[in-house]
Amino acid sequence: MDGDVLNFIRSAKQHGIADEFVVSLLRHNGWPERRIFRAFSSYYSETMGVAMPARAGSIEHARDAFLYLLNFITLGFWTVALGQIWYQLIARWFPDVQSQYYVDQSLRDAISGQIATVIVTFPIFLFVHSLIQQELRKRRDLYDSGIRKWLTYIALVIAALVVLGDAIWFLTSLLRGELTVRFILDSIVLLVLGGGVFAYYLATINPPAERE
């Protein structure tokens, strides 16, 4: 695929077309900047007879991996904790008479750990998210990063599995006639959190459309 871009660049340069217009044209047709400039590097290397100086990018890639892993982990921590808080509240609003667990344990003891988790991890998630957005605005090629895409698609798969599992769980109980208000509310919490995570990663996976 990069060979097609390189051949296009060779032909464009033979016709005296400016580099800026070639880059804009390729980007407009969906080619990522990383591949465009990699093809330009090959073109100028063969034209000048001098290899393009290599720059070690391991530190930059490690930083990207760190930010995306931290974003993924903190998002998982606070969403799971938030779900547990809602499950505890729903269990007390609609108690199960066959269970003494929620009667014997105070609400503060039951959700203190989850609240602490949200308080610690949610601000970190927002901070890391803002750093990632700043990097994406400065480095458009980061949208084509393999690290970013792998972690994003893994998160999408996990979120999709949660939503599908919730739907199957709900329909199974519906067919068995076991639906209760508490069960429905628990399902809604799981659907909102899982669907929210899915929507978050789906909205950030591709660069925003450029205005004409």
Side-chain angles (χ1 to χ4, degrees), residues 60-192:
E60 192 171 76
H61 292 161
R63 182 174 182 272
D64 294 341
F66 168 76
L67 289 177
Y68 278 97
L69 278 172
L70 189 57
N71 176 266
F72 178 77
I73 292 170
T74 52
L75 178 62
F77 266 81
W78 74 259
T79 51
V80 171
L82 187 61
Q84 292 297 322
I85 291 172
W86 276 107
Y87 294 150
Q88 292 284 347
L89 292 174
I90 292 169
R92 281 169 167 75
W93 293 336
F94 303 95
D96 184 356
V97 294
Q98 297 179 347
S99 175
Q100 286 292 116
Y101 176 76
Y102 297 106
V103 176
D104 297 337
Q105 189 180 35
S106 69
L107 179 61
R108 185 182 64 179
D109 292 339
I111 65 175
S112 57
Q114 287 78 11
I115 291 177
T117 300
V118 173
I119 292 174
V120 171
T121 58
F122 184 68
I124 297 175
F125 165 77
L126 291 179
F127 177 70
V128 174
H129 173 78
S130 66
L131 289 180
I132 291 173
Q133 294 305 308
Q134 291 175 14
E135 288 292 318
L136 288 173
R137 284 192 290 268
K138 291 188 297 184
R139 297 167 48 204
R140 299 277 296 184
D141 63 297
L142 189 57
Y143 279 103
D144 199 41
S145 167
I147 294 172
R148 177 180 181 274
K149 287 192 172 182
W150 266 105
L151 292 175
T152 300
Y153 279 116
I154 289 173
L156 282 171
V157 169
I158 294 174
L161 289 175
V162 170
V163 174
L164 288 174
D166 183 45
I168 294 171
W169 182 36
F170 184 87
L171 287 176
T172 300
S173 297
L174 176 63
L175 294 174
R176 290 177 177 175
E178 298 175 354
L179 286 183
T180 62
V181 174
R182 176 177 167 181
F183 179 86
I184 294 173
L185 292 177
D186 285 345
S187 299
I188 291 174
V189 169
L190 187 60
L191 179 63
V192 170

